[in-house]
Amino acid sequence: MAVGDSIFPAMGPIPGVRLGSAMAGIKKPGRRDLVVIEVAPGARVSGTFTRNAFCAAPVHVARQHLAAGDAVRYLVINTGNANAGTGEIGMRDAHATCQALAELAEVSADQVLPFSTGVIGEPLPMEQLLGGLPEALDQLDDGGDAWALAAEGILTTDTRTKGATRQVTLKQGTVTLNGIAKGSGMIRPDMATMLGFVATDAAIESERLDALLREGVKRSFNSITVDSDTSTNDACMLIATGQGAALADDDDERIFRQALDEVLVELAQAIIRDGEGATKFVTLNVSGALSVEEAREVAFTVAHSPLVKTALYASDANWGRILAAVGRARVEDFDVDRVTIDLGDVRLVENGGRAEGYSEDAGSAVMAAEEITIAIDLGRGDAAARVWTSDLSHDYVSINADYRS
Amino acid sequence: MAVGDSIFPAMGPIPGVRLGSAMAGIKKPGRRDLVVIEVAPGARVSGTFTRNAFCAAPVHVARQHLAAGDAVRYLVINTGNANAGTGEIGMRDAHATCQALAELAEVSADQVLPFSTGVIGEPLPMEQLLGGLPEALDQLDDGGDAWALAAEGILTTDTRTKGATRQVTLKQGTVTLNGIAKGSGMIRPDMATMLGFVATDAAIESERLDALLREGVKRSFNSITVDSDTSTNDACMLIATGQGAALADDDDERIFRQALDEVLVELAQAIIRDGEGATKFVTLNVSGALSVEEAREVAFTVAHSPLVKTALYASDANWGRILAAVGRARVEDFDVDRVTIDLGDVRLVENGGRAEGYSEDAGSAVMAAEEITIAIDLGRGDAAARVWTSDLSHDYVSINADYRS
C-alpha cells in the first residue's frame, strides 16, 4: 500500500554527473540492484550518515573515504543486502567493492564511496556484485532515464521510485538539482536518512555544502518516521559538480537553499507516503514549545504511538490516544491545561480535556482523508517542529512478519 | 490471544479487607464493571500513580485524598470509562463518586479513593455508576470469590483475570498477600502501573509500606511494556490492614519483601501474557551496562521496536533487527564490538556481527517457543535490568483499529 499518486518527475541532466545501473543478481535475478554514480573531477561531495551504533560496513568505509579528502569520483550502491552486522568480513567486502570499481575506472579506491541496503547480517554476495560492475559502468549516462533507472536500482521494500527535481536561476545562470531516495521500513532517520542522493551543477565550496546538507536534512529526512527503527545504513549524499553557476551572494544561497530544502522534503515525504503498509500520510505540527528539541520529542512520541497509529489506520478520531501520547512525552513541568490539539480544522482538546463544541462527526470527517494534519500547541514557548509519519496497518505487520527483510 | 495458561489462584481472606462488585451498566449491560474495596480502620494504604501529564481525574483525586492523611476506608473502581481527558466535569464526577460512597458507608469523602479505566475522553455515566454502588456495598465479602469477582470487575480489553497470592511466616505469625491487576493495551507503566491492588494483613508502618511498594513496582510493573503507550490512569495500591503479624525485624522485612515482589512480578507478567494480540512472552535481560538506566534504555528500545516485535510474532530469528534496535538506543560512546546478544542458549551476535557458529536452524528453534529470552550484554559495566514484553501481531492491529478502546 502507499498514499497518494506518485509519478517520477522528468529530470534534466546535471553536468558532471552520470548514472549507470545493472541487474547483478545480488538477491534475486531480473531485479535492478546495482547503481554507480560517476562524478566529474572538481565536484564537491557532502554526506550525512546514520547514528546507529551498529552502523554498516559501507557506512564506515564511506565516512573514511570522505574524510580522506581525495576528490570523490564514484558512488556505488547495491540493494538486496545491507552489509550490516557482518563484522570484519563486511569491512573487507566494502573495501573490495571500492577497489574493484577503482580498478575498472582507473581511480584510487578511496575516491569511491560504497552504500548498501537490504537484509542485515548476511555476507555481501561479492561474486554477483563485482560481476555487475562492468555493466553498470557501461550504462553510465546523464539523461533523465539514467536517474529513473538509478532510483529503481536502490529500492528494497519500496513500492515506488522516489525522485524530486528543481531548477533555480542564480546571478550567474540557472542550476538544476536532482534527487533520488529509497526507504519504506526501518525508517526513523537520526541525523541522517535512508539512502538519498542529491546532485546539482551549482558551484559550492565544501564547508557551505556541508552546512546546506546538514540543515536541510534536519528539516526533511530527520523529521520523518515510519516505525521508530533507525536503520544501520542511513546515508544522504549531496553532490555539487561546480560545472554550473556559483552561489554568488547571500540571495543566491537563499534561493538555492530553498530549492534544496524542497527537494529533500519532497523525497522525505515520498518515503512516508510509501511507508510499509501506509494508508495515511500524517503531518504533525507541534508549536508553543520551549525548544525545538521539546517540540520534536512531543511530535515523535505521538508519531511512534502504536495506539495513535492504529487509530489513524482505522480513521477513528480517537483523540484520547493523541492526548495520552502527548501526556507521556518527556517534557518537564508540563501543564496540560494549556495544550490545544487540532485535527485538521477541528479543535479536539483544550483546557485539559475534550474541546467544547467537538463532535465525533466533525473529527471522523477529517480522519477519513488520506492526508491528515495534527496540530499540537503546548502553550509554553515559541519553538516549533514538524514531523511526518504514516499509520500502523495490518499490511505493516504482514510485510514485516511474513518476509525476512 | 494470550500466552500460556492462566488459572486464577485460590485466595484466602485478608483480615480487614472486604470486596464487593456489581454490574452497573457503565459501558454495556451484563458486565461486571464496578468494584468496591473496603478497608478496616487502622489499615495503611500506599499508592503509586501514572507520570502521564494528562493523568485522569480519579488519579488527581486519589492522590489528594491519600495526601490528606485521613485513614482510607474505601477504594472504588469502575471499568468501561477512564474519566481521563474530561477536564472539570471529570474532576466533579470523581469527587461526586467519592461523596456518594462516603454517604452510603458513613465515612468522609476523603476516605474514599476513586479509580477508573476504559475509554478516554467521555464523561463518566454517573447515573449508572452511582446506581451500582448500593449493590457493590451489599456484596462486600472477604472470601476468595470476592477477590475473583473483583479481578473480573476491573478488566477492559483483558481476556483473563489476573491474580497472585502468597503466604509467609514471620516471627509473630503467618501473613497473607493477595493481589489483582488489569491491563492489556496502553501498557508501558512509568513509575506506576495499570490498575493493581495488593492487600496484606501484615502490620507495616506507612513509610516502610511506601518504600516497599516503590521498590517492588520498579522491578515489576515498571519493567513491562506492551506498546510503549503509558496510560493516563495507571495506579498500583498496597493495603496493609495490620490485623496480622507485624514486620518484627530485618529478617521479617526481607521475607515479606520477597513475597511482595513475587506477587507484583506475577501480576506484571500476567499483564504481558495477556497483552493485546500477544502470541509471545519475551524476557529481555540486559547486563554489562554502566547504569541501570542505561540497561533499561537498551531493553525498552528493543522491546518497543516494531521490527523486533513483528519478527517475534513471525518466530523469525531476525537477529539483525535486534542488533539494529540495540544500536539505536541512546547510549553514549557505545562500542558495539563488545556487545553480545543471545537468544535463549544460542549466541546471535559477537564482535560487531553475527556470531561464529550461529545457524538459522538453532535460532529458529528458540524463536518457535511461546516464551523467549533475549540476553544482551553491553560489555561496559556491571549494571543490569530485566524487562518483559509481548510481540506485535495482526490481532494487536485488529484490537486497536477495529474497536474504540
Side-chain angles (χ1 to χ4, degrees):
Chain A
M1 257 183 271
V3 181
D5 297 324
S6 166
I7 297 160
F8 195 83
M11 289 186 177
I14 304 280
V17 175
R18 297 196 304 162
L19 307 96
S21 56
M23 297 184 186
I26 289 168
K27 196 164 177 189
K28 50 189 172 194
R31 163 98 161 76
R32 195 168 304 277
D33 54 10
L34 185 64
V35 174
V36 171
I37 303 178
E38 182 193 71
V39 177
R44 308 285 187 194
V45 177
S46 180
T48 57
F49 298 92
T50 182
R51 292 269 178 100
N52 192 306
F54 269 110
C55 69
V59 170
H60 281 294
V61 174
R63 269 202 193 112
Q64 280 170 17
H65 287 186
L66 262 185
D70 264 8
V72 171
R73 292 296 316 285
Y74 289 91
L75 290 73
V76 52
I77 309 126
N78 74 274
T79 184
N81 184 307
N83 193 12
T86 42
E88 280 177 37
I89 293 170
M91 289 296 289
R92 192 193 63 199
D93 289 345
H95 280 298
T97 303
C98 296
Q99 187 62 43
L101 181 57
E103 280 169 20
L104 290 167
E106 298 183 349
V107 298
S108 76
D110 62 7
Q111 294 182 290
V112 180
L113 307 182
F115 303 86
S116 296
T117 181
V119 67
I120 294 175
E122 289 171 16
L124 264 185
M126 289 302 285
E127 195 180 332
Q128 286 79 355
L129 198 162
L130 299 184
L133 286 177
E135 193 198 329
L137 284 171
D138 269 359
Q139 300 292 325
L140 283 175
D141 187 26
D142 66 359
D145 275 2
W147 283 93
L149 291 173
E152 183 192 323
I154 62 176
L155 303 183
T156 51
T157 56
D158 307 60
T159 69
R160 310 162 159 182
T161 53
K162 299 166 182 70
T165 183
R166 291 289 185 283
Q167 283 202 323
V168 287
T169 301
L170 307 179
K171 299 278 183 303
Q172 300 176 359
T174 298
V175 298
T176 304
L177 293 97
N178 287 347
I180 57 174
K182 60 81 51 179
S184 185
M186 201 176 267
I187 298 288
R188 197 295 201 207
D190 185 14
M191 298 298 126
T193 171
M194 295 306 293
L195 296 186
F197 301 94
V198 179
T200 179
D201 53 331
I204 309 172
E205 49 178 314
S206 293
E207 273 185 37
R208 203 187 291 193
L209 196 68
D210 286 346
L212 284 166
L213 179 63
R214 213 166 41 239
E215 282 301 306
V217 161
K218 198 183 289 177
R219 290 186 293 269
S220 55
F221 292 113
N222 281 358
S223 293
I224 61 173
T225 185
V226 170
D227 50 14
S228 80
D229 276 314
T230 305
S231 151
T232 47
N233 289 58
D234 296 342
C236 182
M237 308 303 296
L238 176 59
I239 298 162
T241 65
Q243 299 195 4
L247 306 191
D249 56 16
D250 287 354
D251 264 3
D252 271 6
E253 182 164 338
R254 192 177 43 72
I255 291 166
F256 183 84
R257 176 189 288 134
Q258 170 77 16
L260 176 63
D261 283 0
E262 286 175 18
V263 166
L264 292 172
V265 166
E266 197 170 318
L267 292 173
Q269 291 187 345
I271 288 176
I272 293 303
R273 283 177 210 281
D274 195 26
E276 286 178 344
T279 73
K280 302 276 184 182
F281 175 84
V282 184
T283 303
L284 287 157
N285 287 326
V286 177
S287 57
L290 288 182
S291 65
V292 172
E293 288 62 40
E294 188 175 280
R296 286 171 65 87
E297 161 69 15
V298 171
F300 276 113
T301 303
V302 175
H304 291 154
S305 160
L307 291 174
V308 171
K309 289 172 106 75
T310 46
L312 286 163
Y313 171 49
S315 297
D316 176 8
N318 193 326
W319 57 270
R321 294 186 184 170
I322 304 173
L323 171 147
V326 170
R328 76 176 167 87
R330 302 177 196 189
V331 173
E332 295 275 326
D333 301 322
F334 196 2
D335 177 3
V336 296
D337 288 345
R338 305 172 75 170
V339 173
T340 59
I341 305 178
D342 293 273
L343 182 68
D345 54 2
V346 176
R347 172 68 42 104
L348 299 178
V349 170
E350 63 190 2
N351 299 322
R354 183 164 59 180
E356 221 172 309
Y358 170 73
S359 77
E360 283 281 316
D361 284 352
S364 299
V366 177
M367 283 296 265
E370 265 195 358
E371 310 227 348
I372 294 169
T373 298
I374 300 172
I376 300 161
D377 191 286
L378 306 182
R380 53 197 251 128
D382 297 323
R386 176 172 300 179
V387 162
W388 295 282
T389 192
S390 52
D391 55 336
L392 173 57
S393 68
H394 281 295
D395 272 17
Y396 179 88
V397 176
S398 294
I399 290 165
N400 287 298
D402 298 350
Y403 314 107
R404 170 70 67 99
S405 63
Chain B
M1 258 183 273
V3 181
D5 297 324
S6 166
I7 297 159
F8 195 84
M11 289 187 178
I14 304 282
V17 174
R18 297 196 303 162
L19 306 97
S21 56
M23 296 183 186
I26 289 169
K27 196 164 177 188
K28 51 189 171 194
R31 163 98 161 77
R32 196 169 302 279
D33 55 10
L34 186 64
V35 174
V36 170
I37 303 178
E38 183 194 70
V39 177
R44 309 283 189 197
V45 177
S46 180
T48 58
F49 298 92
T50 181
R51 291 269 178 100
N52 192 306
F54 269 110
C55 70
V59 170
H60 281 293
V61 173
R63 270 203 193 113
Q64 279 170 20
H65 288 186
L66 262 185
D70 264 8
V72 171
R73 292 295 317 285
Y74 290 91
L75 289 73
V76 52
I77 309 124
N78 74 273
T79 182
N81 185 307
N83 193 11
T86 42
E88 281 177 36
I89 293 170
M91 289 297 289
R92 193 192 62 200
D93 289 346
H95 280 297
T97 304
C98 295
Q99 187 61 42
L101 181 57
E103 280 169 20
L104 290 167
E106 299 182 349
V107 298
S108 75
D110 62 6
Q111 292 182 292
V112 181
L113 307 182
F115 303 85
S116 296
T117 180
V119 66
I120 293 175
E122 288 172 16
L124 265 185
M126 288 302 286
E127 195 180 333
Q128 286 79 357
L129 197 162
L130 299 184
L133 286 176
E135 193 198 329
L137 284 171
D138 268 1
Q139 300 292 324
L140 283 174
D141 188 26
D142 66 359
D145 274 2
W147 283 93
L149 291 174
E152 183 192 323
I154 62 176
L155 303 183
T156 51
T157 55
D158 308 61
T159 70
R160 309 161 159 184
T161 52
K162 299 166 181 71
T165 184
R166 292 289 186 283
Q167 283 202 321
V168 288
T169 300
L170 307 178
K171 299 279 183 304
Q172 300 176 358
T174 298
V175 298
T176 304
L177 292 97
N178 286 349
I180 57 174
K182 62 81 49 179
S184 185
M186 202 175 265
I187 297 287
R188 197 294 198 206
D190 184 12
M191 297 300 126
T193 170
M194 293 307 293
L195 297 185
F197 301 93
V198 179
T200 179
D201 53 330
I204 309 172
E205 48 176 316
S206 293
E207 272 185 36
R208 203 188 289 193
L209 196 68
D210 286 345
L212 283 166
L213 178 62
R214 215 169 35 239
E215 281 303 306
V217 161
K218 198 183 289 178
R219 291 186 292 269
S220 55
F221 291 112
N222 281 357
S223 293
I224 62 173
T225 185
V226 169
D227 51 13
S228 79
D229 276 314
T230 305
S231 152
T232 47
N233 288 57
D234 296 344
C236 183
M237 308 302 298
L238 176 59
I239 299 162
T241 66
Q243 299 195 5
L247 307 191
D249 57 14
D250 286 354
D251 264 3
D252 271 6
E253 182 164 336
R254 192 178 43 71
I255 291 166
F256 183 85
R257 176 188 287 132
Q258 170 77 16
L260 175 64
D261 283 0
E262 285 175 20
V263 166
L264 292 172
V265 166
E266 198 171 316
L267 292 173
Q269 291 187 345
I271 288 176
I272 294 303
R273 283 178 211 281
D274 194 25
E276 286 179 343
T279 73
K280 301 278 183 179
F281 175 84
V282 184
T283 304
L284 287 157
N285 288 325
V286 177
S287 56
L290 288 182
S291 66
V292 172
E293 287 63 40
E294 187 175 280
R296 285 171 66 87
E297 160 69 16
V298 171
F300 277 114
T301 303
V302 175
H304 291 155
S305 161
L307 291 173
V308 171
K309 290 174 106 73
T310 46
L312 286 162
Y313 171 49
S315 298
D316 175 9
N318 193 325
W319 57 269
R321 295 186 185 172
I322 304 173
L323 170 146
V326 170
R328 74 176 167 89
R330 300 176 197 191
V331 173
E332 295 275 324
D333 301 323
F334 196 3
D335 178 4
V336 296
D337 287 346
R338 306 172 75 170
V339 173
T340 59
I341 305 178
D342 294 273
L343 182 66
D345 54 2
V346 176
R347 171 68 41 108
L348 297 178
V349 170
E350 63 192 4
N351 300 322
R354 181 163 61 180
E356 220 171 310
Y358 171 74
S359 78
E360 283 281 317
D361 284 352
S364 299
V366 177
M367 283 297 264
E370 266 196 355
E371 309 226 349
I372 294 167
T373 298
I374 300 171
I376 300 160
D377 192 286
L378 305 183
R380 53 197 252 128
D382 297 322
R386 175 172 300 178
V387 162
W388 295 282
T389 192
S390 52
D391 54 336
L392 173 57
S393 68
H394 280 295
D395 272 16
Y396 179 88
V397 177
S398 294
I399 290 165
N400 287 297
D402 299 351
Y403 315 106
R404 171 71 67 100
S405 63

